[in-house]
Amino acid sequence: MQFDDDADLDTSEVQDVRGSRIPGGKATVGGGIAGLLALILGLLFGVGPDQLGLSSGGPDTAPTASSAAQVEQSCRTGQDANTRDDCRTVAVVNSVQDYWGQEFRRRQGTYTPSRTVLFSDRIGTACGSATSAVGPFYCPGDRQVYLDLGFFDELRTKFGSGGGPFAQAYVVAHEYGHHVQDLMGTLSRSQDGRTGANSNAVRVELQADCYAGVWAHHATATPDESTGRPLITSLTQADVRDGLDAAAAVGDDRIQEKFQGRVTPESWTHGSAAQRRQWFTTGFRSGDMADCNTFR
């Protein structure tokens, strides 16, 4: 995956609070066993930590500004995105939101942008407090995506993903799939407390995978708002395989087999490896969000 070297990145869509201190310190989701339990229960690549009852605290635990806000100073152009993980995240956020903004307008709708917050260790959100152990998530309470970049290393070392830039892009695009669902009113279907292979929780996650595929289909043809040229200039079949590999690596069955030693479909919240690959592929092949109806 390559970005236009001369493109200007919009860092206003990403807040960098890595290294900042969280006032209040109400986080109750810990590392170790608690963090592992959160992964097994399926928060990974999901929606805010409040849904699992693993956190307390609210908007008052929001992160402070950080003197380590690196993206604002360092992530200026597409060339930066081609060399740094944090700048790549900025560029992917820009591309994803360019696409959904244009798609909503094409459908006579209004897309409200969502900011991604880069953090380290732990973070306070409108959905409660969480640690890096829970993985990337979207918080509907403040309509923001939360991401510790260290997760990309864990995706490879703990979950067996092959990694690669597009595996990272898939993670970001999946979370913005939840934002699209939030704007369209479908995200709330996952909040009925049910789990299992046919639950709404799984259907919501698979639809977010499909939406990630839809964005990927259009990524090299979506004009950047500032230049009129696509921000992403190249997306190869190898890149797509990296995305599919990442999707499969975080299937409920893979995670349960790895951390529990057995597969229990009745507790699934995100879908199997095969389902996640299937729905990303569905979106990528058609490029039409209408084909992402996982609730049929």
Side-chain angles (χ1 to χ4, degrees):
M1 181 174 66
Q2 290 291 313
F3 299 92
D4 178 0
D5 282 343
D6 297 324
D8 293 326
L9 301 185
D10 182 1
T11 57
S12 70
E13 295 184 349
V14 176
Q15 181 184 15
D16 187 357
V17 297
R18 291 172 291 174
S20 65
R21 300 178 65 87
I22 301 176
K26 295 184 181 179
T28 60
V29 181
I33 297 299
L36 180 58
L37 178 61
L39 294 178
I40 292 174
L41 288 174
L43 180 56
L44 192 68
F45 284 26
V47 186
D50 58 321
Q51 289 188 316
L52 294 180
L54 291 172
S55 62
S56 62
D60 60 317
T61 59
T64 60
S66 171
S67 59
Q70 301 174 47
V71 297
E72 188 174 351
Q73 287 82 34
S74 303
C75 302
R76 304 285 188 169
T77 68
Q79 185 174 21
D80 298 323
N82 284 322
T83 57
R84 291 176 54 126
D85 282 353
D86 51 0
C87 300
R88 182 182 302 116
T89 299
V90 174
V92 171
V93 169
N94 290 171
S95 174
V96 169
Q97 299 211 98
D98 281 344
Y99 170 70
W100 287 116
Q102 292 164 31
E103 179 64 11
F104 269 58
R105 286 194 295 272
R106 188 180 73 83
R107 294 173 176 268
Q108 285 76 56
T110 301
Y111 177 81
T112 304
S114 168
R115 187 166 57 177
T116 286
V117 180
L118 301 182
F119 72 100
S120 55
D121 298 326
R122 66 178 185 173
I123 190 72
T125 80
C127 294
S129 300
T131 71
S132 301
V134 303
F137 62 91
Y138 173 75
C139 173
D142 54 30
R143 288 186 164 175
Q144 295 190 135
V145 172
Y146 292 87
L147 173 64
D148 185 328
L149 292 175
F151 171 76
F152 294 136
D153 290 331
E154 295 188 349
L155 185 61
R156 185 181 67 258
T157 60
K158 286 187 178 180
F159 299 99
S161 169
F166 191 73
Q168 300 173 16
Y170 155 73
V171 172
V172 174
H174 172 96
E175 295 307 331
Y176 276 90
H178 286 313
H179 180 56
V180 170
Q181 291 170 324
D182 196 16
L183 296 177
M184 297 181 69
T186 56
L187 185 62
S188 60
R189 294 194 188 189
S190 68
Q191 298 172 1
D192 59 9
R194 298 179 181 178
T195 62
N198 295 314
S199 66
N200 282 341
V202 167
R203 295 177 190 276
V204 162
E205 295 299 334
L206 296 178
Q207 186 176 63
D209 283 333
C210 188
Y211 286 164
V214 168
W215 160 74
H217 175 94
H218 296 281
T220 58
T222 299
D224 179 67
E225 297 285 355
S226 62
T227 66
R229 302 188 307 271
L231 179 55
I232 297 177
T233 59
S234 173
L235 187 62
T236 67
Q237 286 300 313
D239 292 324
V240 174
R241 285 195 297 272
D242 285 343
L244 290 170
D245 188 50
V250 290
D252 283 325
D253 53 341
R254 292 269 189 95
I255 292 175
Q256 289 178 339
E257 180 67 33
K258 185 175 184 66
F259 292 105
Q260 296 182 157
R262 67 188 188 281
V263 176
T264 54
E266 63 273 14
S267 65
W268 287 2
T269 57
H270 283 59
S272 68
Q275 287 176 311
R276 301 199 73 166
R277 289 175 62 97
Q278 172 196 336
W279 280 103
F280 176 87
T281 301
T282 295
F284 180 71
R285 286 179 175 170
S286 76
D288 186 351
M289 66 184 301
D291 290 333
C292 295
N293 185 1
T294 57
F295 296 93
R296 287 188 295 224

